Amino acid sequence: MAEPLKEMFNKAAVDWLAGRLGSAWPDFPAAKFKRAILADLPALELIARVDRIALEMQATLPADFRKAVRIVTKALGAPPPAGDGTDFGSFRVLPCHRFVAQAGLDHTDHALAYFKDTTRHFSGEFDIRPFLVRDQARVLGVMRDWADDKDWRVRRLASEGARPRLPWGLRLQALVADPAPLLPILEALRDDPIEAVRRSVANSLNDIAKDHPDLAVEILGAWRSDSSRAPLIRHALRHLVKQGHGGALHLMGVDQAAKFQLRDLALGKTRIAIGGSLPIDLALRNAGKRAAMAIIDYAVHHLGARGELRPKVFKWKQVELAPGETIALSRKHSLKPVTTRRYYPGAHKLDIRVNGRILGEADFILTAK
């Protein structure tokens, strides 16, 4: 069994941080710091551990934030090489970012300088967000300058840190309501040479699409003039495609008048224990007179704690079918527990969606054992 994520912040991580802070500031009370945290750590989950370490940093570092943030920056040392855009750094740095978010809100300039330097150790997208809530125009102005930085990790922070609906992050309600101030950053980064940065731009636009679908389609339609942006556009449209949004489907090259028939839908099991997998088989036919694109998704309607069914849409396949052509597809959907979803025994449902339209559904029972 894999080690729980919370164990990223264990005794070894606390020892490492205490050693780094002690090397940067000889007066740092390392023993007291470790003793206080380790007494509480076993009972805490992942985020609570991060917050607990950050709180103890506030208790042991100088009360003068400007001095404290210099110590933390020095403790982290020189950042690792930028690499190819696939390494986002060490999770062990996260409590340092959380400390700055909690203790530095009244010192925006010093905090932003810290994030620019240290996002190269570990991405600071979660903890820069309270500063955006406090002073959006000022912080977005600085982040627009970051979009021109030579280090891709700083450029990515400019986009990812300002995502309106960053998963697990503080929601930026002002940008949810009006994403216009974010658009100059996305425009600057849409053709970035690093895929991780371009993907962040796509994620930001996917966030925008949830609240302003027509605006997202308008922006991406204008960007389509450059064919190299096709992967970004496809990733940015994933929510709208799942919803069957006409404008999004048009950008994806889908003929909404195309006729598809679900010739068969079969579940390999109708009773599955939590932790098992659900075999799915289908046959899809193009019943029209022209070749047509089919974006095939499926939704699992999970049973909630109050007995309600909540659909979660999953991507399956994108394929072009000739007139009269039938394609057979098979896959297994995992029902293993994950940190972002809790399973409840009872009646569940699965449906098949082609170009955003539900063509068929089937029921199954999820059991405790």
Side-chain angles (χ1 to χ4, degrees), residues 2-14 37-38 40-50 53 91-92 94-95 168 339:
E3 187 176 57
L5 287 176
K6 67 182 181 181
E7 290 305 320
M8 289 187 295
F9 301 102
N10 54 16
K11 182 179 184 301
V14 175
I37 294 172
L38 294 176
D40 297 337
L41 216 57
L44 302 178
E45 296 302 320
L46 176 63
I47 300 303
R49 291 188 179 201
V50 174
I53 296 169
F91 267 94
R92 285 183 170 184
L94 187 54
W168 294 11
T339 56

Side-chain angles (χ1 to χ4, degrees), residues 270-276 343-346 348 364-369:
T270 56
R271 296 181 68 87
I272 306 99
I274 294 173
Y343 291 110
Y344 295 92
H348 287 60
F364 66 96
I365 303 295
L366 193 62
T367 63
K369 294 183 180 180

Side-chain angles (χ1 to χ4, degrees), residues 259-264 283-288 325-326 354 359:
K259 297 179 180 179
F260 290 100
Q261 295 176 345
L262 189 62
R263 302 299 296 272
D264 186 35
L284 182 72
R285 178 176 180 267
N286 179 1
E325 182 180 2
T326 298
V354 178
L359 297 189

Side-chain angles (χ1 to χ4, degrees), residues 187-213:
E187 292 275 354
L189 295 173
R190 66 187 181 184
D191 298 319
D192 197 274
I194 297 295
E195 182 182 359
V197 178
R198 300 193 303 272
R199 196 169 184 85
S200 176
V201 171
N203 286 335
S204 292
L205 279 161
N206 188 58
D207 282 359
I208 291 171
K210 294 175 181 179
D211 303 290
H212 307 277

Side-chain angles (χ1 to χ4, degrees), residues 11-320:
K11 182 179 184 301
V14 175
D15 287 344
W16 171 83
L17 181 55
R20 300 300 303 177
L21 292 170
S23 68
W25 183 40
D27 291 334
F28 180 70
K32 176 185 176 184
F33 176 81
K34 292 191 289 186
R35 186 167 56 249
I37 294 172
L38 294 176
D40 297 337
L41 216 57
L44 302 178
E45 296 302 320
L46 176 63
I47 300 303
R49 291 188 179 201
V50 174
D51 289 337
R52 180 65 187 89
I53 296 169
L55 183 64
E56 199 60 31
M57 290 176 70
Q58 289 191 61
T60 50
L61 288 170
D64 183 339
F65 177 77
R66 292 168 297 182
K67 182 176 181 180
V69 78
R70 286 196 297 269
I71 293 169
V72 175
T73 303
K74 182 179 179 181
L76 294 178
D84 62 359
T86 58
D87 185 356
F88 298 99
S90 172
F91 267 94
R92 285 183 170 184
V93 177
L94 187 54
C96 298
H97 292 351
R98 189 60 44 85
F99 161 73
V100 172
Q102 292 174 351
L105 274 178
D106 293 328
H107 304 274
T108 300
D109 290 341
H110 291 86
L112 293 181
Y114 163 86
F115 282 118
K116 182 182 179 182
D117 286 340
T118 62
T119 197
R120 297 176 292 172
H121 291 279
F122 182 73
S123 183
E125 69 241 31
F126 295 105
D127 291 295
I128 198 170
R129 303 172 77 77
F131 298 89
L132 280 160
V133 172
R134 174 71 70 91
D135 194 345
Q136 177 177 288
R138 180 182 178 186
V139 177
L140 281 180
V142 173
M143 294 172 81
R144 174 58 188 86
D145 291 340
W146 290 353
D148 297 324
D149 196 85
K150 63 181 181 180
D151 193 310
W152 70 267
R153 295 167 293 189
V154 178
R155 299 197 304 272
R156 180 181 176 276
L157 179 61
S159 172
E160 197 73 4
R163 279 184 60 180
R165 292 176 171 269
L166 179 68
W168 294 11
L170 176 66
R171 184 168 295 180
L172 301 178
Q173 296 291 8
L175 290 177
V176 168
D178 178 15
L182 174 58
L183 299 184
I185 292 175
L186 305 184
E187 292 275 354
L189 295 173
R190 66 187 181 184
D191 298 319
D192 197 274
I194 297 295
E195 182 182 359
V197 178
R198 300 193 303 272
R199 196 169 184 85
S200 176
V201 171
N203 286 335
S204 292
L205 279 161
N206 188 58
D207 282 359
I208 291 171
K210 294 175 181 179
D211 303 290
H212 307 277
D214 294 339
L215 172 62
V217 168
E218 179 184 350
I219 293 167
L220 293 166
W223 290 7
R224 195 172 55 159
S225 60
D226 187 330
S227 61
S228 68
R229 297 174 188 145
L232 184 157
I233 292 171
R234 184 168 56 249
H235 193 62
L237 289 173
R238 62 191 188 277
H239 170 76
L240 293 183
V241 168
K242 291 176 181 178
Q243 300 299 315
H245 186 279
L249 291 169
H250 175 73
L251 288 183
M252 292 292 292
V254 169
D255 179 1
Q256 295 179 67
K259 297 179 180 179
F260 290 100
Q261 295 176 345
L262 189 62
R263 302 299 296 272
D264 186 35
L265 171 60
L267 304 184
K269 301 176 183 177
T270 56
R271 296 181 68 87
I272 306 99
I274 294 173
S277 59
L278 175 66
I280 311 168
D281 296 280
L282 66 80
L284 182 72
R285 178 176 180 267
N286 179 1
K289 297 181 179 180
R290 294 181 297 179
M293 178 74 69
I295 300 176
I296 305 166
D297 302 322
Y298 67 98
V300 177
H301 297 249
H302 298 101
L303 185 64
R306 299 179 180 177
E308 75 284 10
L309 288 175
R310 297 179 178 178
K312 168 67 176 175
V313 180
F314 298 89
K315 303 302 294 180
W316 193 336
K317 190 176 183 65
Q318 179 175 320
V319 63
E320 183 170 304

